Amino acid sequence: AQSVTQLGSHVSVSEGALVLLRCNYSSSVPPYLFWYVQYPNQGLQLLLKYTTGATLVKGINGFEAEFKKSETSFHLTKPSAHMSDAAEYFCAVTLSGSARQLTFGSGTQLTVLP
Amino acid sequence: DSGVTQTPKHLITATGQRVTLRCSPRSGDLSVYWYQQSLDQGLQFLIQYYNGEERAKGNILERFSAQQFPDLHSELNLSSLELGDSALYFCASSPTGVANTEAFFGQGTRLTVV
């Protein structure tokens, strides 16, 4: 079975500051990892994903994440926050080769302060 | 716009009633997934269909059922509704059922049971 833990249900940063959203996973086999963003009253939009290969993954809107197997982590970062980044962010995992059932973390609400 | 269409967007109904939520996947996508997002349970995978056949089941209650039709649209049926069934129900679709392909989410149906 797999699970995802997102540390910090709420994160606040100032505009222009570094964004760091933490995600740790638990999986008995190599996982596929995803970050999704949910804007108010919207569905989930994929930011980036890790499947195999390069452990530093670049996504949309300037976000990136690094898969660290030794730390079982997949933290999401962005060098400079923008007001439009305010949203809820979900880390998710699915097992390689399995039917695609995403297990989501509990989400992190990002607030960007002017 | 993800290309996944869910109807209705909002639904208010009484306890004990039955409702049907509808999902039209992106053109060409064979897999449909249903997720439930509630305040206490977070985002949970309910069920997956692939080309008309059930592929995987998650935390779906016996009062809930789903199907995927020959034109690939899917319906989620919720019966004997309880207050606790109030949630946002998302449909997602992907070209295949393979784990490393992106799933595209609809905007959801917000169900309120009163």
Side-chain angles (χ1 to χ4, degrees):
Chain A
Q2 68 268 27
S3 65
V4 175
T5 302
Q6 290 185 241
L7 295 174
S9 57
H10 291 83
V11 170
S12 293
V13 300
S14 297
E15 192 173 18
L18 171 72
V19 175
L20 170 60
L21 305 183
R22 299 178 187 275
C23 172
N24 287 88
Y25 70 90
S26 171
S27 173
S28 56
V29 298
Y32 291 155
L33 296 158
F34 303 80
W35 274 101
Y36 281 86
V37 61
Q38 185 179 25
Y39 298 102
N41 301 314
Q42 299 284 322
L44 293 151
Q45 181 182 8
L46 181 68
L47 278 177
L48 49 81
K49 65 179 180 181
Y50 169 78
T51 54
T52 58
T55 56
L56 182 61
V57 180
K58 294 187 185 302
I60 62 171
N61 301 338
F63 285 93
E64 62 183 37
E66 186 170 10
F67 171 62
K68 292 187 177 180
K69 185 177 178 181
S70 61
E71 298 177 9
T72 62
S73 69
F74 191 57
H75 301 330
L76 182 71
T77 60
K78 181 175 181 178
S80 177
H82 192 273
M83 297 297 288
S84 61
D85 294 327
E88 188 153 24
Y89 292 79
F90 292 92
C91 182
V93 63
T94 189
L95 300 184
S96 58
S98 72
R100 205 177 187 288
Q101 316 160 44
L102 290 165
T103 297
F104 285 90
S106 54
T108 297
Q109 182 69 46
L110 176 66
T111 300
V112 182
L113 305 170
Chain B
D1 182 6
S2 67
V4 178
T5 303
Q6 290 187 247
T7 57
K9 285 189 169 39
H10 301 277
L11 199 48
I12 301 175
T13 190
T15 53
Q17 294 298 304
R18 172 189 169 96
V19 297
T20 297
L21 312 184
R22 182 187 169 101
C23 170
S24 295
R26 292 188 326 149
S27 177
D29 284 358
L30 298 178
S31 249
V32 169
Y33 315 81
W34 286 96
Y35 287 85
Q36 179 195 58
Q37 184 179 34
S38 62
L39 283 174
D40 54 345
Q41 301 280 347
L43 264 163
Q44 289 201 82
F45 168 72
L46 295 179
I47 197 165
Q48 177 199 4
Y49 279 82
Y50 178 77
N51 205 20
E53 294 189 1
E54 183 183 305
R55 174 65 68 88
K57 247 181 181 177
N59 299 320
I60 188 166
L61 299 172
E62 285 191 11
R63 299 184 285 108
F64 296 0
S65 64
Q67 57 186 135
Q68 185 179 27
F69 296 85
D71 67 353
L72 300 178
H73 91 271
S74 178
E75 292 180 356
L76 179 66
N77 300 295
L78 315 175
S79 61
S80 303
L81 285 167
E82 302 174 359
L83 295 178
D85 298 327
S86 296
L88 191 54
Y89 291 85
F90 284 112
C91 170
S93 74
S94 68
T96 70
V98 177
N100 65 349
T101 56
E102 179 179 353
F104 294 84
F105 282 78
Q107 293 197 337
T109 293
R110 183 168 295 282
L111 174 66
T112 303
V113 182
V114 297

